[in-house]
Amino acid sequence: MKNTFRATLLAVLAALTALVGATAAGPASALPADFTVTTQNPTVADFNNIVAFLVATPASDAAKARNVEGGEIAVVVPRTVYNLGLFRAPRGSSTVTGPIVRKGNVATVNLHARSAGRPDVNMPIDFVYQGNWKLASSSMCKGVKTVGLPIYCNA
């Protein structure tokens, strides 16, 4: 009887641990290492995934560069934000919301980001389509200035 109870308890704890781990990891952890959004008509979820990929995953610089307008030169921004843990669990989070406003190859959405010990960030951000959707350099620079990161930005 005691062994059955113990085995049941361990199984329940293992299931809860797996569930909590999957929930805490969130959608960013499920994105492939070579993630990009290539669809001509992206959704808010697509843009949210780009932001999550940039700031909440340990993806390579090359992979992140494919998702930012400035490429390899601009990857210092998402790398720094990731390394500081600003907008990812457990310290913070980020969410993209609509509506999506399209003007040619530019799409604008709203970013809501929070990080412990810092004011919340609520700002419009742009994505540009260059074979795939990329976070615009101008939006990264606005973010750098808003958060107060000591990174030079020329956009």
Side-chain angles (χ1 to χ4, degrees):
M1 179 75 164
K2 213 180 223 184
N3 285 340
T4 304
F5 176 73
R6 185 178 291 167
T8 303
L9 180 61
L10 288 174
V12 169
L13 287 174
L16 285 173
T17 301
L19 178 62
V20 169
T23 304
S29 64
L31 298 172
D34 60 347
F35 176 77
T36 58
V37 174
T38 57
T39 180
Q40 290 285 331
N41 295 305
T43 64
V44 169
D46 290 326
F47 292 128
N48 192 63
N49 284 338
I50 294 171
V51 171
F53 184 76
L54 293 171
V55 303
T57 70
S60 70
D61 284 357
K64 290 186 179 191
R66 288 189 291 276
N67 287 278
V68 294
E69 184 179 23
E72 290 284 339
I73 295 169
V75 81
V76 66
V77 175
R79 181 188 332 118
T80 301
V81 171
Y82 174 79
N83 287 339
L84 293 173
L86 293 178
F87 303 117
R88 64 182 171 90
R91 190 171 177 191
S93 64
S94 62
T95 305
V96 171
T97 61
I100 299 171
V101 178
R102 290 280 303 265
K103 291 182 183 168
N105 70 335
V106 176
T108 304
V109 291
N110 297 299
L111 173 68
H112 308 282
R114 60 171 210 66
S115 186
R118 294 180 178 265
D120 288 0
V121 174
N122 294 296
M123 59 185 264
I125 57 172
D126 294 333
F127 291 86
V128 295
Y129 186 78
Q130 299 173 334
N132 63 284
W133 288 96
K134 302 176 181 191
L135 181 61
S137 295
S138 59
S139 292
M140 280 199 302
C141 286
K142 276 195 301 190
V144 163
K145 291 173 186 167
T146 299
V147 174
L149 293 176
I151 299 172
Y152 174 74
C153 215
N154 188 27

mmCIF file of all heavy atoms in Angstrom, residues 95-137:
data_model
loop_
_atom_site.group_PDB
_atom_site.id
_atom_site.type_symbol
_atom_site.label_atom_id
_atom_site.label_comp_id
_atom_site.label_asym_id
_atom_site.label_seq_id
_atom_site.Cartn_x
_atom_site.Cartn_y
_atom_site.Cartn_z
ATOM 1 N N THR A 95 4.813 40.973 -24.896
ATOM 2 C CA THR A 95 3.665 40.537 -25.679
ATOM 3 C C THR A 95 3.429 41.542 -26.787
ATOM 4 O O THR A 95 3.510 42.753 -26.560
ATOM 5 C CB THR A 95 2.394 40.463 -24.804
ATOM 6 O OG1 THR A 95 2.656 39.621 -23.691
ATOM 7 C CG2 THR A 95 1.226 39.920 -25.585
ATOM 8 N N VAL A 96 3.132 41.039 -27.961
ATOM 9 C CA VAL A 96 2.770 41.890 -29.094
ATOM 10 C C VAL A 96 1.259 41.801 -29.261
ATOM 11 O O VAL A 96 0.686 40.720 -29.187
ATOM 12 C CB VAL A 96 3.494 41.431 -30.377
ATOM 13 C CG1 VAL A 96 2.971 42.155 -31.591
ATOM 14 C CG2 VAL A 96 4.995 41.628 -30.231
ATOM 15 N N THR A 97 0.626 42.963 -29.459
ATOM 16 C CA THR A 97 -0.818 42.993 -29.698
ATOM 17 C C THR A 97 -1.109 43.792 -30.960
ATOM 18 O O THR A 97 -0.270 44.553 -31.437
ATOM 19 C CB THR A 97 -1.573 43.624 -28.510
ATOM 20 O OG1 THR A 97 -1.140 44.977 -28.337
ATOM 21 C CG2 THR A 97 -1.332 42.838 -27.222
ATOM 22 N N GLY A 98 -2.313 43.608 -31.468
ATOM 23 C CA GLY A 98 -2.767 44.321 -32.653
ATOM 24 C C GLY A 98 -3.450 45.603 -32.274
ATOM 25 O O GLY A 98 -3.412 46.006 -31.110
ATOM 26 N N PRO A 99 -4.025 46.231 -33.250
ATOM 27 C CA PRO A 99 -4.186 45.726 -34.613
ATOM 28 C C PRO A 99 -2.889 45.858 -35.413
ATOM 29 O O PRO A 99 -2.017 46.652 -35.075
ATOM 30 C CB PRO A 99 -5.259 46.635 -35.193
ATOM 31 C CG PRO A 99 -5.066 47.932 -34.473
ATOM 32 C CD PRO A 99 -4.634 47.547 -33.080
ATOM 33 N N ILE A 100 -2.793 45.067 -36.470
ATOM 34 C CA ILE A 100 -1.672 45.183 -37.410
ATOM 35 C C ILE A 100 -2.037 46.270 -38.403
ATOM 36 O O ILE A 100 -3.092 46.219 -39.039
ATOM 37 C CB ILE A 100 -1.422 43.858 -38.160
ATOM 38 C CG1 ILE A 100 -1.070 42.752 -37.177
ATOM 39 C CG2 ILE A 100 -0.337 44.047 -39.218
ATOM 40 C CD1 ILE A 100 -1.009 41.368 -37.807
ATOM 41 N N VAL A 101 -1.181 47.266 -38.540
ATOM 42 C CA VAL A 101 -1.378 48.331 -39.528
ATOM 43 C C VAL A 101 -0.316 48.138 -40.603
ATOM 44 O O VAL A 101 0.881 48.205 -40.323
ATOM 45 C CB VAL A 101 -1.256 49.729 -38.883
ATOM 46 C CG1 VAL A 101 -1.415 50.809 -39.925
ATOM 47 C CG2 VAL A 101 -2.268 49.893 -37.759
ATOM 48 N N ARG A 102 -0.772 47.879 -41.837
ATOM 49 C CA ARG A 102 0.152 47.601 -42.940
ATOM 50 C C ARG A 102 0.250 48.801 -43.863
ATOM 51 O O ARG A 102 -0.731 49.416 -44.234
ATOM 52 C CB ARG A 102 -0.346 46.418 -43.767
ATOM 53 C CG ARG A 102 -0.281 45.081 -43.117
ATOM 54 C CD ARG A 102 1.094 44.440 -43.135
ATOM 55 N NE ARG A 102 1.676 44.269 -44.436
ATOM 56 C CZ ARG A 102 1.596 43.166 -45.155
ATOM 57 N NH1 ARG A 102 0.922 42.125 -44.716
ATOM 58 N NH2 ARG A 102 2.191 43.097 -46.334
ATOM 59 N N LYS A 103 1.484 49.121 -44.242
ATOM 60 C CA LYS A 103 1.768 50.122 -45.273
ATOM 61 C C LYS A 103 2.866 49.542 -46.136
ATOM 62 O O LYS A 103 4.040 49.614 -45.779
ATOM 63 C CB LYS A 103 2.206 51.444 -44.647
ATOM 64 C CG LYS A 103 1.105 52.163 -43.903
ATOM 65 C CD LYS A 103 1.583 53.489 -43.349
ATOM 66 C CE LYS A 103 0.452 54.126 -42.553
ATOM 67 N NZ LYS A 103 0.912 55.266 -41.764
ATOM 68 N N GLY A 104 2.473 48.922 -47.249
ATOM 69 C CA GLY A 104 3.452 48.284 -48.117
ATOM 70 C C GLY A 104 4.152 47.144 -47.409
ATOM 71 O O GLY A 104 3.516 46.234 -46.898
ATOM 72 N N ASN A 105 5.491 47.226 -47.355
ATOM 73 C CA ASN A 105 6.256 46.146 -46.726
ATOM 74 C C ASN A 105 6.573 46.433 -45.255
ATOM 75 O O ASN A 105 7.472 45.825 -44.688
ATOM 76 C CB ASN A 105 7.549 45.882 -47.506
ATOM 77 C CG ASN A 105 8.546 47.018 -47.370
ATOM 78 O OD1 ASN A 105 8.182 48.166 -47.109
ATOM 79 N ND2 ASN A 105 9.812 46.708 -47.565
ATOM 80 N N VAL A 106 5.816 47.349 -44.640
ATOM 81 C CA VAL A 106 5.994 47.668 -43.220
ATOM 82 C C VAL A 106 4.700 47.354 -42.477
ATOM 83 O O VAL A 106 3.608 47.701 -42.937
ATOM 84 C CB VAL A 106 6.362 49.158 -43.021
ATOM 85 C CG1 VAL A 106 6.459 49.497 -41.539
ATOM 86 C CG2 VAL A 106 7.670 49.487 -43.736
ATOM 87 N N ALA A 107 4.843 46.694 -41.343
ATOM 88 C CA ALA A 107 3.694 46.387 -40.484
ATOM 89 C C ALA A 107 3.989 46.936 -39.091
ATOM 90 O O ALA A 107 5.103 46.789 -38.583
ATOM 91 C CB ALA A 107 3.452 44.886 -40.417
ATOM 92 N N THR A 108 2.993 47.576 -38.496
ATOM 93 C CA THR A 108 3.129 48.141 -37.158
ATOM 94 C C THR A 108 2.181 47.416 -36.206
ATOM 95 O O THR A 108 1.015 47.200 -36.537
ATOM 96 C CB THR A 108 2.811 49.652 -37.168
ATOM 97 O OG1 THR A 108 3.663 50.290 -38.121
ATOM 98 C CG2 THR A 108 3.023 50.266 -35.797
ATOM 99 N N VAL A 109 2.711 47.047 -35.045
ATOM 100 C CA VAL A 109 1.934 46.419 -33.975
ATOM 101 C C VAL A 109 2.328 47.101 -32.668
ATOM 102 O O VAL A 109 3.148 48.018 -32.670
ATOM 103 C CB VAL A 109 2.186 44.893 -33.907
ATOM 104 C CG1 VAL A 109 1.613 44.181 -35.117
ATOM 105 C CG2 VAL A 109 3.665 44.585 -33.744
ATOM 106 N N ASN A 110 1.774 46.658 -31.572
ATOM 107 C CA ASN A 110 2.089 47.248 -30.274
ATOM 108 C C ASN A 110 2.862 46.253 -29.424
ATOM 109 O O ASN A 110 2.494 45.080 -29.345
ATOM 110 C CB ASN A 110 0.805 47.656 -29.558
ATOM 111 C CG ASN A 110 0.078 48.726 -30.336
ATOM 112 O OD1 ASN A 110 0.602 49.806 -30.545
ATOM 113 N ND2 ASN A 110 -1.122 48.415 -30.803
ATOM 114 N N LEU A 111 3.913 46.746 -28.772
ATOM 115 C CA LEU A 111 4.710 45.934 -27.869
ATOM 116 C C LEU A 111 4.400 46.332 -26.432
ATOM 117 O O LEU A 111 4.387 47.522 -26.100
ATOM 118 C CB LEU A 111 6.208 46.141 -28.121
ATOM 119 C CG LEU A 111 7.159 45.471 -27.122
ATOM 120 C CD1 LEU A 111 7.084 43.947 -27.251
ATOM 121 C CD2 LEU A 111 8.578 45.961 -27.322
ATOM 122 N N HIS A 112 4.138 45.333 -25.621
ATOM 123 C CA HIS A 112 3.936 45.521 -24.184
ATOM 124 C C HIS A 112 4.981 44.641 -23.512
ATOM 125 O O HIS A 112 4.935 43.422 -23.631
ATOM 126 C CB HIS A 112 2.529 45.090 -23.759
ATOM 127 C CG HIS A 112 1.462 45.734 -24.581
ATOM 128 N ND1 HIS A 112 1.057 47.025 -24.397
ATOM 129 C CD2 HIS A 112 0.740 45.252 -25.627
ATOM 130 C CE1 HIS A 112 0.110 47.319 -25.276
ATOM 131 N NE2 HIS A 112 -0.090 46.254 -26.042
ATOM 132 N N ALA A 113 5.930 45.279 -22.826
ATOM 133 C CA ALA A 113 6.997 44.522 -22.180
ATOM 134 C C ALA A 113 7.156 45.009 -20.751
ATOM 135 O O ALA A 113 6.950 46.183 -20.453
ATOM 136 C CB ALA A 113 8.303 44.701 -22.954
ATOM 137 N N ARG A 114 7.509 44.068 -19.887
ATOM 138 C CA ARG A 114 7.736 44.440 -18.500
ATOM 139 C C ARG A 114 8.954 43.680 -17.997
ATOM 140 O O ARG A 114 9.285 42.604 -18.490
ATOM 141 C CB ARG A 114 6.518 44.158 -17.636
ATOM 142 C CG ARG A 114 6.067 42.730 -17.582
ATOM 143 C CD ARG A 114 4.999 42.517 -16.527
ATOM 144 N NE ARG A 114 5.017 41.194 -15.969
ATOM 145 C CZ ARG A 114 5.966 40.635 -15.234
ATOM 146 N NH1 ARG A 114 7.042 41.303 -14.956
ATOM 147 N NH2 ARG A 114 5.877 39.405 -14.784
ATOM 148 N N SER A 115 9.607 44.317 -17.020
ATOM 149 C CA SER A 115 10.780 43.720 -16.412
ATOM 150 C C SER A 115 10.872 44.204 -14.974
ATOM 151 O O SER A 115 10.630 45.390 -14.699
ATOM 152 C CB SER A 115 12.042 44.131 -17.184
ATOM 153 O OG SER A 115 13.174 43.460 -16.694
ATOM 154 N N ALA A 116 11.189 43.300 -14.084
ATOM 155 C CA ALA A 116 11.266 43.638 -12.664
ATOM 156 C C ALA A 116 12.207 44.815 -12.441
ATOM 157 O O ALA A 116 13.318 44.841 -12.965
ATOM 158 C CB ALA A 116 11.738 42.427 -11.871
ATOM 159 N N GLY A 117 11.727 45.806 -11.707
ATOM 160 C CA GLY A 117 12.552 46.953 -11.366
ATOM 161 C C GLY A 117 12.633 48.029 -12.421
ATOM 162 O O GLY A 117 13.377 48.988 -12.274
ATOM 163 N N ARG A 118 11.891 47.883 -13.504
ATOM 164 C CA ARG A 118 11.887 48.872 -14.588
ATOM 165 C C ARG A 118 10.447 49.238 -14.926
ATOM 166 O O ARG A 118 9.551 48.428 -14.766
ATOM 167 C CB ARG A 118 12.549 48.315 -15.847
ATOM 168 C CG ARG A 118 14.018 48.034 -15.699
ATOM 169 C CD ARG A 118 14.570 47.491 -17.017
ATOM 170 N NE ARG A 118 15.977 47.243 -16.943
ATOM 171 C CZ ARG A 118 16.909 48.101 -17.325
ATOM 172 N NH1 ARG A 118 16.575 49.253 -17.828
ATOM 173 N NH2 ARG A 118 18.187 47.792 -17.219
ATOM 174 N N PRO A 119 10.259 50.445 -15.455
ATOM 175 C CA PRO A 119 8.905 50.794 -15.910
ATOM 176 C C PRO A 119 8.491 49.904 -17.087
ATOM 177 O O PRO A 119 9.328 49.460 -17.861
ATOM 178 C CB PRO A 119 9.044 52.247 -16.369
ATOM 179 C CG PRO A 119 10.327 52.740 -15.788
ATOM 180 C CD PRO A 119 11.198 51.541 -15.589
ATOM 181 N N ASP A 120 7.196 49.640 -17.182
ATOM 182 C CA ASP A 120 6.680 48.875 -18.318
ATOM 183 C C ASP A 120 6.919 49.648 -19.610
ATOM 184 O O ASP A 120 6.949 50.878 -19.620
ATOM 185 C CB ASP A 120 5.184 48.609 -18.158
ATOM 186 C CG ASP A 120 4.886 47.587 -17.074
ATOM 187 O OD1 ASP A 120 5.836 47.081 -16.438
ATOM 188 O OD2 ASP A 120 3.698 47.298 -16.865
ATOM 189 N N VAL A 121 7.082 48.906 -20.681
ATOM 190 C CA VAL A 121 7.265 49.493 -22.010
ATOM 191 C C VAL A 121 6.012 49.206 -22.820
ATOM 192 O O VAL A 121 5.610 48.053 -22.954
ATOM 193 C CB VAL A 121 8.502 48.896 -22.718
ATOM 194 C CG1 VAL A 121 8.603 49.386 -24.144
ATOM 195 C CG2 VAL A 121 9.769 49.185 -21.937
ATOM 196 N N ASN A 122 5.392 50.250 -23.332
ATOM 197 C CA ASN A 122 4.242 50.126 -24.222
ATOM 198 C C ASN A 122 4.508 51.053 -25.395
ATOM 199 O O ASN A 122 4.488 52.272 -25.236
ATOM 200 C CB ASN A 122 2.943 50.529 -23.506
ATOM 201 C CG ASN A 122 2.605 49.567 -22.391
ATOM 202 O OD1 ASN A 122 2.345 48.400 -22.636
ATOM 203 N ND2 ASN A 122 2.625 50.055 -21.165
ATOM 204 N N MET A 123 4.770 50.463 -26.558
ATOM 205 C CA MET A 123 5.124 51.284 -27.702
ATOM 206 C C MET A 123 4.803 50.563 -29.011
ATOM 207 O O MET A 123 4.810 49.337 -29.057
ATOM 208 C CB MET A 123 6.612 51.650 -27.665
ATOM 209 C CG MET A 123 7.551 50.454 -27.664
ATOM 210 S SD MET A 123 9.289 50.891 -27.485
ATOM 211 C CE MET A 123 9.797 50.907 -29.190
ATOM 212 N N PRO A 124 4.541 51.353 -30.058
ATOM 213 C CA PRO A 124 4.377 50.720 -31.365
ATOM 214 C C PRO A 124 5.742 50.282 -31.882
ATOM 215 O O PRO A 124 6.751 50.951 -31.627
ATOM 216 C CB PRO A 124 3.779 51.835 -32.225
ATOM 217 C CG PRO A 124 4.162 53.106 -31.549
ATOM 218 C CD PRO A 124 4.321 52.797 -30.098
ATOM 219 N N ILE A 125 5.768 49.145 -32.559
ATOM 220 C CA ILE A 125 7.004 48.687 -33.198
ATOM 221 C C ILE A 125 6.698 48.303 -34.634
ATOM 222 O O ILE A 125 5.588 47.886 -34.963
ATOM 223 C CB ILE A 125 7.673 47.516 -32.451
ATOM 224 C CG1 ILE A 125 6.733 46.315 -32.308
ATOM 225 C CG2 ILE A 125 8.189 47.969 -31.096
ATOM 226 C CD1 ILE A 125 7.405 45.067 -31.739
ATOM 227 N N ASP A 126 7.690 48.466 -35.476
ATOM 228 C CA ASP A 126 7.553 48.165 -36.896
ATOM 229 C C ASP A 126 8.344 46.923 -37.265
ATOM 230 O O ASP A 126 9.407 46.647 -36.694
ATOM 231 C CB ASP A 126 8.073 49.326 -37.748
ATOM 232 C CG ASP A 126 7.252 50.584 -37.612
ATOM 233 O OD1 ASP A 126 6.043 50.486 -37.299
ATOM 234 O OD2 ASP A 126 7.811 51.684 -37.804
ATOM 235 N N PHE A 127 7.816 46.220 -38.246
ATOM 236 C CA PHE A 127 8.502 45.100 -38.874
ATOM 237 C C PHE A 127 8.560 45.391 -40.361
ATOM 238 O O PHE A 127 7.614 45.963 -40.918
ATOM 239 C CB PHE A 127 7.746 43.785 -38.639
ATOM 240 C CG PHE A 127 7.794 43.324 -37.216
ATOM 241 C CD1 PHE A 127 6.874 43.780 -36.289
ATOM 242 C CD2 PHE A 127 8.773 42.434 -36.793
ATOM 243 C CE1 PHE A 127 6.917 43.370 -34.971
ATOM 244 C CE2 PHE A 127 8.822 42.017 -35.466
ATOM 245 C CZ PHE A 127 7.894 42.487 -34.561
ATOM 246 N N VAL A 128 9.652 45.036 -40.997
ATOM 247 C CA VAL A 128 9.793 45.231 -42.436
ATOM 248 C C VAL A 128 9.907 43.867 -43.103
ATOM 249 O O VAL A 128 10.481 42.940 -42.537
ATOM 250 C CB VAL A 128 11.014 46.114 -42.789
ATOM 251 C CG1 VAL A 128 10.829 47.528 -42.269
ATOM 252 C CG2 VAL A 128 12.294 45.527 -42.257
ATOM 253 N N TYR A 129 9.348 43.779 -44.311
ATOM 254 C CA TYR A 129 9.423 42.525 -45.051
ATOM 255 C C TYR A 129 10.570 42.617 -46.041
ATOM 256 O O TYR A 129 10.578 43.472 -46.928
ATOM 257 C CB TYR A 129 8.107 42.231 -45.780
ATOM 258 C CG TYR A 129 8.116 40.873 -46.416
ATOM 259 C CD1 TYR A 129 7.904 39.735 -45.652
ATOM 260 C CD2 TYR A 129 8.382 40.720 -47.765
ATOM 261 C CE1 TYR A 129 7.933 38.474 -46.220
ATOM 262 C CE2 TYR A 129 8.413 39.464 -48.353
ATOM 263 C CZ TYR A 129 8.194 38.345 -47.568
ATOM 264 O OH TYR A 129 8.238 37.091 -48.127
ATOM 265 N N GLN A 130 11.564 41.748 -45.857
ATOM 266 C CA GLN A 130 12.733 41.671 -46.743
ATOM 267 C C GLN A 130 13.014 40.196 -47.022
ATOM 268 O O GLN A 130 14.047 39.675 -46.642
ATOM 269 C CB GLN A 130 13.947 42.335 -46.094
ATOM 270 C CG GLN A 130 13.762 43.801 -45.795
ATOM 271 C CD GLN A 130 14.924 44.401 -45.007
ATOM 272 O OE1 GLN A 130 15.636 43.714 -44.279
ATOM 273 N NE2 GLN A 130 15.097 45.696 -45.157
ATOM 274 N N GLY A 131 12.034 39.518 -47.627
ATOM 275 C CA GLY A 131 12.128 38.073 -47.823
ATOM 276 C C GLY A 131 11.543 37.329 -46.633
ATOM 277 O O GLY A 131 11.017 36.234 -46.769
ATOM 278 N N ASN A 132 11.657 37.904 -45.467
ATOM 279 C CA ASN A 132 10.971 37.471 -44.251
ATOM 280 C C ASN A 132 10.770 38.726 -43.407
ATOM 281 O O ASN A 132 11.368 39.775 -43.671
ATOM 282 C CB ASN A 132 11.751 36.385 -43.488
ATOM 283 C CG ASN A 132 13.100 36.840 -42.979
ATOM 284 O OD1 ASN A 132 14.044 36.947 -43.751
ATOM 285 N ND2 ASN A 132 13.206 37.096 -41.688
ATOM 286 N N TRP A 133 9.905 38.624 -42.414
ATOM 287 C CA TRP A 133 9.610 39.776 -41.562
ATOM 288 C C TRP A 133 10.722 39.948 -40.540
ATOM 289 O O TRP A 133 11.174 38.974 -39.922
ATOM 290 C CB TRP A 133 8.255 39.603 -40.882
ATOM 291 C CG TRP A 133 7.147 39.762 -41.868
ATOM 292 C CD1 TRP A 133 6.497 38.765 -42.529
ATOM 293 C CD2 TRP A 133 6.596 40.985 -42.326
ATOM 294 N NE1 TRP A 133 5.564 39.300 -43.379
ATOM 295 C CE2 TRP A 133 5.599 40.672 -43.270
ATOM 296 C CE3 TRP A 133 6.836 42.332 -42.042
ATOM 297 C CZ2 TRP A 133 4.852 41.634 -43.925
ATOM 298 C CZ3 TRP A 133 6.091 43.299 -42.687
ATOM 299 C CH2 TRP A 133 5.120 42.952 -43.618
ATOM 300 N N LYS A 134 11.169 41.199 -40.389
ATOM 301 C CA LYS A 134 12.268 41.528 -39.485
ATOM 302 C C LYS A 134 11.871 42.720 -38.628
ATOM 303 O O LYS A 134 11.208 43.645 -39.116
ATOM 304 C CB LYS A 134 13.525 41.892 -40.280
ATOM 305 C CG LYS A 134 13.982 40.783 -41.208
ATOM 306 C CD LYS A 134 15.154 41.215 -42.038
ATOM 307 C CE LYS A 134 15.574 40.071 -42.967
ATOM 308 N NZ LYS A 134 16.861 40.357 -43.601
ATOM 309 N N LEU A 135 12.318 42.715 -37.385
ATOM 310 C CA LEU A 135 12.104 43.866 -36.520
ATOM 311 C C LEU A 135 12.883 45.036 -37.098
ATOM 312 O O LEU A 135 14.081 44.920 -37.380
ATOM 313 C CB LEU A 135 12.572 43.554 -35.095
ATOM 314 C CG LEU A 135 12.386 44.670 -34.068
ATOM 315 C CD1 LEU A 135 10.909 45.041 -33.904
ATOM 316 C CD2 LEU A 135 12.977 44.244 -32.733
ATOM 317 N N ALA A 136 12.204 46.163 -37.295
ATOM 318 C CA ALA A 136 12.816 47.337 -37.918
ATOM 319 C C ALA A 136 13.881 47.951 -37.016
ATOM 320 O O ALA A 136 13.731 48.011 -35.790
ATOM 321 C CB ALA A 136 11.743 48.374 -38.234
ATOM 322 N N SER A 137 14.953 48.444 -37.636
ATOM 323 C CA SER A 137 16.037 49.101 -36.898
ATOM 324 C C SER A 137 15.523 50.279 -36.093
ATOM 325 O O SER A 137 15.945 50.499 -34.956
ATOM 326 C CB SER A 137 17.129 49.559 -37.863
ATOM 327 O OG SER A 137 17.741 48.447 -38.468
#
